[in-house]
Amino acid sequence: EPEVTQTPSHQVTQMGQEVILRCVPISNHLYFYWYRQILGQKVEFLVSFYNNEISEKSEIFDDQFSVERPDGSNFTLKIRSTKLEDSAMYFCASSPDAAGTAYEQYFGPGTRLTVT
Amino acid sequence: RKEVEQDPGPFNVPEGATVAFNCTYSNSASQSFFWYRQDCRKEPKLLMSVYSSGNEDGRFTAQLNRASQYISLLIRDSKLSDSATYLCVVTSGYSSASKIIFGSGTRLSIRP
């Protein structure tokens, strides 16, 4: 069964450093998403991406964040200068169609980011 | 009022029991509704979409009440494996430019 993969599973970084979280969505999917979940809190939408551009982003997704699909398979989330409050689990998801339809979003296993 | 609100639980019920969760949403323009489950420290997995007419998938039944702006999930004959956090998800539209909002989740624990 196809699945979304994410690397690394755990990233530890120092405050102020740049990090890149990587995701490989399911190969025939067209829509890609990043979410974060701070420990003990709810899943929060960050950004959706379609046709090589951002479709929608939340208030959390400020200038410190960027996304890219550098080739035909990877989808990355970059945080330019990490803050302590960026510590969270980051989930990538993909779907064959937009999330607003009944099409399922498939989530990757997540990258746990720890900022020290 | 929170955009998507759920009773956090925990609901602690015996195996075989029927349990129901509700979720309310504040945006009357919301278009699509889903239930996901999330196991501890794992990714969310879609349980079912929620249609206006209501829908059933085995032991699970989802209902939507647009007038009162809530959705519900009913689990019949609960199994130990149903223990998880159940997440209500609401989107603002049908396109990729939709705001996607997760509820905080309702924890369910099934005891033998």
Side-chain angles (χ1 to χ4, degrees):
Chain A
E1 184 178 323
E3 57 183 22
V4 177
T5 59
Q6 290 186 243
T7 54
S9 58
H10 190 191
Q11 174 88 49
V12 181
T13 189
Q14 287 190 325
M15 197 166 55
Q17 295 296 305
E18 174 183 286
V19 293
I20 298 176
L21 310 183
R22 291 185 166 79
C23 168
V24 180
I26 293 171
S27 62
N28 62 346
H29 283 189
L30 302 177
Y31 296 82
F32 314 112
Y33 311 87
W34 282 102
Y35 296 85
R36 79 170 186 193
Q37 186 173 31
I38 296 169
L39 189 63
Q41 297 187 24
K42 67 176 185 176
V43 175
E44 298 174 293
F45 169 74
L46 293 178
V47 66
S48 59
F49 191 86
Y50 169 70
N51 200 26
N52 280 320
E53 59 183 28
I54 290 174
S55 301
E56 182 73 28
K57 59 183 181 179
S58 71
E59 300 81 14
I60 302 167
F61 194 88
D62 60 21
D63 292 343
Q64 292 282 70
F65 292 89
S66 62
V67 290
E68 196 177 31
R69 188 153 161 84
D71 53 41
S73 59
N74 289 284
F75 179 50
T76 62
L77 175 70
K78 182 193 291 187
I79 309 175
R80 285 191 186 79
S81 177
T82 49
K83 303 188 280 286
L84 294 176
E85 54 264 37
D86 294 328
S87 295
M89 181 73 93
Y90 288 81
F91 292 110
C92 172
S94 70
S95 68
D97 203 321
T101 72
Y103 279 79
E104 178 174 344
Q105 283 192 59
Y106 292 79
F107 279 74
T111 292
R112 178 162 297 285
L113 176 65
T114 302
V115 182
T116 61
Chain B
R1 184 181 173 184
K2 289 183 184 175
E3 290 179 287
V4 176
E5 198 151 7
Q6 296 183 250
D7 182 341
F11 284 62
N12 189 324
V13 302
E15 201 172 2
T18 295
V19 61
F21 312 131
N22 279 342
C23 165
T24 58
Y25 59 94
S26 61
N27 183 359
S28 59
S30 298
Q31 297 290 346
S32 298
F33 310 90
F34 307 88
W35 283 104
Y36 279 73
R37 69 169 278 167
Q38 185 176 29
D39 295 294
C40 189
R41 296 183 179 271
K42 297 285 190 181
E43 71 273 23
K45 290 185 191 277
L46 180 70
L47 185 63
M48 57 199 304
S49 304
V50 187
Y51 302 118
S52 297
S53 54
N55 47 301
E56 190 174 306
D57 183 1
R59 298 182 292 109
F60 299 85
T61 300
Q63 297 277 354
L64 167 64
N65 185 319
R66 283 191 185 272
S68 301
Q69 293 180 209
Y70 77 83
I71 67 172
S72 63
L73 177 68
L74 181 79
I75 306 175
R76 289 182 299 278
D77 187 25
S78 52
K79 313 287 184 196
L80 294 175
S81 57
D82 293 334
S83 296
T85 297
Y86 289 81
L87 310 175
C88 171
V89 179
V90 175
T91 71
S92 59
Y94 291 113
S95 73
S96 60
S98 298
K99 202 173 172 189
I100 304 164
I101 304 162
F102 278 70
S104 300
T106 297
R107 280 199 296 133
L108 173 65
S109 178
I110 308 297
R111 63 180 187 270

